[in-house]
Amino acid sequence: MKKIFYAFCLAALFTAVSCADYLEQTPTNQYTDAQVWQDEYLVESHLAELYAMSVFMINDALASYDGPSPSPLNVDFGTGAGWSFNLGVSAQGEGPIHATTIADEGKYSERGAQTNYHSYKLYGIQKNSGFMRWWSNGYYLNRQLNHMIESMETSTLGKAKAFQAEARFLRAFNYFAMVKRYGGVPLITKETPLDAPEADVYPPRNTEKECWDYIINECLEIADLLEENPTTAHASKWAALALASRAALYAGSIAKYGNVDLDGLVGIDAGEAEGYFKKSIEACEEIMTKSGKGLYKGSMGKGAVKNLEDVFLVKNNNEVLMSKHHQGIGGGINLWSWDICMSPKPNAWSVGQYVHPYYEFVENFDFVDGSSGKIDRNTLTSKAWTMDELWGNRDPRLRAWTWTNRYHWANAAGFPWGNDTVSMYRGIRLPDGSDYYDLTKNVYKGVQCWGDQMQEFATGTLYHTGFGVAKYLEPGSDCMTWFVYSTTDYIIFRYAEVLLNYAEACFETGHKGEALDAINQIRSRAGIADLKNITIDAIRKERLCELCFENHRYWDLRRWRIAETELSKPHSGITYLLDWASYESSLDADGNRTAEPRFWIEFEDHIDSKTQDPTFLSNNYYLPIGDGTTAVNPNLIENPGY
Amino acid sequence: MKKICIFLSMMAICFFMAGNLTGLAAEPQGRITAKGTVIDTDNLPVIGAYIVEKGNDRNVTVTDASGKFSIIVADNATLVISCIGYVTQQVKAAASLNVVLSTDKEFLEEAVVVGYGTQRVATLTGSVAQINSGKITVAPVVNTTHVLAGQLPGLVSKQTSGLPGQDNAALNIRGFGSPLVIVDGVEGSIQSLDAGQIESITILKDGSGSIYGARAGNGVILVTTKTGSNQKTTVSVNSSVTLQSNIVTTLPATSAQRAQYQNDVYLNKGGNPSRVPYTEEDLAAYALGEDPAYLNSDWYHEVIRQYAPQQNHNVSISGGTDRIKYYGYFGYNRQELQFKPNSGYYDRFNFQTNFSAKATDYLTVGMNMQYMKDCKNYPSGGDLYQDGVNFWQGIIYSADPRYPLYLPDESLLSYANMQNGSPIWAVNIANSGYYQTNGNHFKVTGFAELEIPYIPGLKAKANIMYNYGANDLKWMHKRGQFYTYNAGTDKYSFAGGSVEPSSLSMHNNLSSTIVQQYSLNYDRDFDLHHVSALAMYEATLSQYRNYWTKRQDFNSTIIEEMASGDEETAQNGSGSSNYGRNSFIGRLNYSYADRYMVETTLRADASSRFAKGYRWGYFPSVSVGWNIAKEEFMSEATWLDMLKLRASMGTAGYDAVADFNFLTGYRYDMTYTFGDTMFTGLASTGLPNELLTWETMRIYNVGLDFSMFRRKLYGEVDLFQRDRIGIPGYRSQSLPTTFGATLPQENLNATRTRGFEVMLGSTNQIGDFYYDISANVSYNRTRWTYYDQAEETDPDRIRLYQNTGKYTDRQLGYITEGVFASDEEVAAWPLSFDDLNNDNSTLRAGDIKFVDSNNDGVINWRDLQEIGKGSTPHWMGGLTINLGWRGFDLQALFQGAWGYTIGLSYDSNTSTYCNLYFDQNHNADPNAIVARPAGATINWWTTDFYTRDCAYVRLKNFAVGYTIPERITKRIGVSKFRIYAGGMNLFTLSNISKYGVDPESTGTVGYSYPQQYTMSLGCNIVL
């Protein structure tokens, strides 16, 4: 009986649990496709992701971002934040920096993990280096955009058409990033299904002309679908027109200055140039006449320099056509790492002062009366100068957007005169003309031998050009404590660029008067004398000065096809030396400083490398597609020269 | 040298104590000479049998070649006669004796744990290796994974970090990848157990693992913990104290070395020689280090101690009758970090209790409860929560000795030109904050076993297990501010703050698993036929949940709770996942006269990770064995204990793919701000793949086990092949990137691993002297049999990048021949680099000299060759030695591995200077291990210049002990009292130790938290 009882118990237990169905589980961390497309908020969240994945800032970042899986693209801010994560991986800091340092605007500071990238400046970009690649990521994003555009086509959501237009803008912007690199690329405007015919899966390249036309036409089409005045974070009608004007300008100059090769996969027939320039002009004119946007002058009351700084600090000002918004802690975090990369303060771990503008770059900024900024170098080294003598009368844009010795900076030590200024002399020049360099003891008669901002550069094993980048820098930000902390917005399109696009396109089509007028609008806002005559070189120089450090210069030099000469030059920097005589004589009876300090200037030539000057390879007008990519798809033809 | 001294003195203490105690032995009175012969049941003399006077175990003799012995003993003495392989006998001493020893049936019938049961060694047909508790607890260890290396043929072990609490040895079986670990029947981990809790560890290397189905493809490690047994109550106490220290470290560069290095960099960059940063006088002053302006601060010894203490204590109680058996265990371990005090520790508490009771003649019920709590308490900075590689590097090698340890104003922290501000600050929990975890793991098992009446040999069993884990983390970052001091101007400058603003984050992870197992077991002998069968149903449900919260900007850190942080900075999040599995398991064994054996298993597994219709997988295996020694025709060969041929073929799976890969979806990802609203973006998870299922492994194994002369020689040989089919991969390798999707993983690729294992051993007792020595060696390496990628056409690209047919762990790089010794040599060099536009003008003496492997006059990618074999050893060897003499015992385990490489990266442009650079004559030393600092860009390329062979031999475990004779200890009521001295990693022979790199570390520079050697003193007491 007992046995039967046990057997029964056991059998009962079996029946009770044997059907335990643990196999039907639903995910707790994801929405299904169907759920997303029926909910306006979820669609907008997906759209936010697509914006975040777009090339606004990581534009020209590292090769390590090229590859769609498993975690693609740029990462702004992570909960697992650590040193390398924030600094090494924060593409938001690195992207703009790379675009700047590959060009002739500035030198990478050679500190930190990216030292290797220096070699691309010296030796050019090789076939399989992957440097500045935007291919796999680009197509990864493209597919998601296509999927969204198609999903919105049949959607019943009220905002479906608006969402669709924004996605189309992002797609055009994404193609722009690819075409400016590679020339013609395969234009894929529908989501390719897995079982698509082979011809769709292995597409050939479209011609460069087809690509530019596609981008321009898309922009013009969606300009009428997009809202006129959403937040500047959203693509607006004006953003679409601004992209159209930029793309048409690129296409026009490539047609005019470039050569057609590979049956039009790269290059555009010269006869097309005029048409493109005209399209650019039309897009610009529409913005100039209808958008209500203009050059920012809201802080003019505080001076031209402050006004120019505020163009990048006052959020959503009337110059901004589109920007990537950043906001601080509280209700979420969306920040970037520009401040810590560029801040002049000395720092504890080799960050800050990442980009050093070259002296040759600085020479492009004329004096406010319009006279040339190029000063005879022998004159410069012949005497000691106050900073005001050197830079006081320069183009306010130089003073607003770069910093150098004695630049006002909150809490910087500022020795030997006063605080709150950057101090970056390196050595002391004695009255007998000899230099006192004891950088180890760092003292001469009770005075430091080098300024606090030269901490990393004092020994001379790392070269400093004497200048830093101040555009976008929040006053008082520092590189002493935290990485991803910049809350400034990153401007994707601003009105000044539209004026410059307009001026260039007008000049190229013979409308010199309009060109001159546009350039002078820019100059007068900057606080520098108007030009009397207009030349293509003047327009290009204006573009360099106005749009410096904004990821334009490298691409401009390429489309003008002058990178081979302009980016194959040695650059130099300057070193400041404290003038001892003026230091000693400036003390009054009460021990107060009565005069501004003077500094000697020394030039440091071949500052990129003493053994190798920068090289721009002629094939780098188009980046290599790469063996890995062409091997998978034999229909892709590699760019010439690789 | 120092460690040897300390070790010797510990040994001396041990022997001294032993000598004193044995000296107490008293001489008995009234003696006789006992003579006799020892024979076995076949009437053959037993040679080397061991005859001991009971109660006076120093009085011993051994039988000679004809089995004869003679011994003088007390006239009323009892003789204990023993020999390995026979049942020990006791006889009254007499002038003439004839002793017949019967064969020890257990000898070849030792049980081995296999999947869902045990099996006799004699009838085993799979490739299985096991070690038992005795060998696991040789020297005290905190991390139980450390005891396995070298012990089990076919087990590859690599301990990559020495950081307490994070120092698991990565284990893999036959190079297969991460194995399935089963603790007492459910998935678990070895490192969460105390070594003292473990009864045995078994690895299933071939088809014998197939019974674990979809998870078993990489082999299975079975851990069985101790239970009570039918014996009187035994209390056992184990206690040890240990000193641990770094095995190898490279000392950071001195001030003079750093200054010289900077001069080298300056000159190599083309700087003006008349303005080098440091003059000869500067260098000399730095070398002296006396002038306050020319310091040479020793940050290393300021924060690293020579020895960190460790303690291991445990108590267990076990016993039982044939109706009730019980067992209890409590263990405590503490390991301190190598940094100076208040720098953190790892603590672990293990608790276990179990009992089983025969409720009736047919029904046995029981319960097993285990609880483990561990606490990590580390300084907050760096990556101590992982392996501490960067932290160690950050604090030790980045700290600049040219800065003072302390400033004249002691309220200010001295800056050391590093990420963490100052090492002194960074290692101190009170200053820099902490990373504190509390792990709680609770596991309870209940079982009932019913012998089915009327059907002899049939049992039904139900097992229900519940596993609950709660891990919480409190991570406090405090902020430090660092200053430099200029003696000349008497001025302090703020040099930087610590990396983070002050912040506090708290995380909580909860996991639970329920496993239910219901089985029927049948086991019966019919004459010479033995049949056993198992049928089982198993269901598993795992659930996981976590949440976290964080605030920053603590204005005060007096109260270290969220409320003190800025609430504007509050962040939080959560996540969860579920996973279920159903399985049916069957096994059938048949053997005839222990001569012929066959075993088949079949498992059907279904996993919630896969789409309906692709869930179920079926994993059969079959194995056969033939014990030739039992054949009639071998009956003459009485010297042969066993000679068994085994062959097996099994299938298993590997289900380590992400959950819900078969569904497409959108997950929260990056953030983007529109105006005032920040959106958390929803990212697509990519295309779904309903076809994705586990990968399949097929494992073939043939083996030979032998034992002869009563185990004076025994061994095993195994040959195996594993085919891994359907390795999840991304077809993106062969689909153009323009397609634009994160293509789903598919079961695409295939590999084949081949290898062998050999184990040889010998054990014997010669008089008082007992030994058991065994050595093993194993080899494996894996090739891609299929790798999905684009078809290459260029012969060099085929050679380099077409993976199919090639080893999976090839490392490609350039072949080099040292560095250029002179600029003349550079000028005369006939080659040039494609990637430098064929311009050699930047090359100088001290740059790496490349070899034109394909003789085409240029160096480009076509010159790439295979320069390394991966970082996992292909060859593993072990040698275990167990010796006993009277009360003394000695155990040693040597472990070795070879056939793998690392790439050193003491490159010349690193910001962390290493004093190894100065072992060479700066730039142009032909034996240089680093290239010219700030030299040509080609020095950065991957070359064999940096590749080093990692072969090593290491004394992994060592202990000598002495057991005080029972007749002395029983006076104080102790049945066994053993004291021992021992240690781990006491010495290492390796070519790369001189670079400061441990051969087991993954790091490419010797910066990681170093592996430790330990020296312990302890005792075992059994009441």
Side-chain angles (χ1 to χ4, degrees), chain A residues 3 6 10 17 22 24 28 30-31 46 49 74 126 135 140 329 334 349 437 440 442 446 461 481 610, chain B residues 269 275 286 360 453 479 486 489 497 499 516 518 540 569 576 615 666-670 673 682 742:
Chain A
K3 293 171 191 169
Y6 293 139
L10 208 64
V17 289
Y22 295 157
E24 295 304 324
T28 55
Q30 68 185 38
Y31 299 97
H46 180 55
E49 177 80 11
N74 66 328
Q126 312 297 336
W135 183 282
Y140 178 82
I329 291 172
N334 207 185
W349 45 84
Y437 265 102
T440 310
N442 187 21
T461 50
T481 44
K610 303 282 175 191
Chain B
K269 281 187 168 178
R275 279 188 184 173
Y286 274 127
T360 72
R479 190 164 158 196
N486 187 324
T489 59
V499 175
Q516 304 176 41
Y518 305 99
T540 305
T569 67
S576 65
R615 275 180 188 156
Y666 292 82
R667 287 187 190 167
Y668 286 115
D669 192 40
M670 298 186 286
T673 302
L682 274 178
T742 305

Side-chain angles (χ1 to χ4, degrees), chain B residues 212-258:
Chain B
Y212 288 100
R215 297 166 296 159
N218 289 337
V220 184
I221 299 180
L222 298 174
V223 181
T224 310
T225 59
K226 289 177 178 164
T227 53
S229 56
N230 188 355
Q231 61 173 54
K232 74 172 183 67
T233 304
T234 307
V235 177
S236 167
V237 179
N238 243 301
S239 192
S240 66
V241 289
T242 299
L243 292 178
Q244 51 184 15
S245 187
N246 304 331
I247 297 179
V248 283
T249 41
T250 312
L251 287 176
T254 63
S255 292
Q257 287 172 329
R258 280 174 179 245

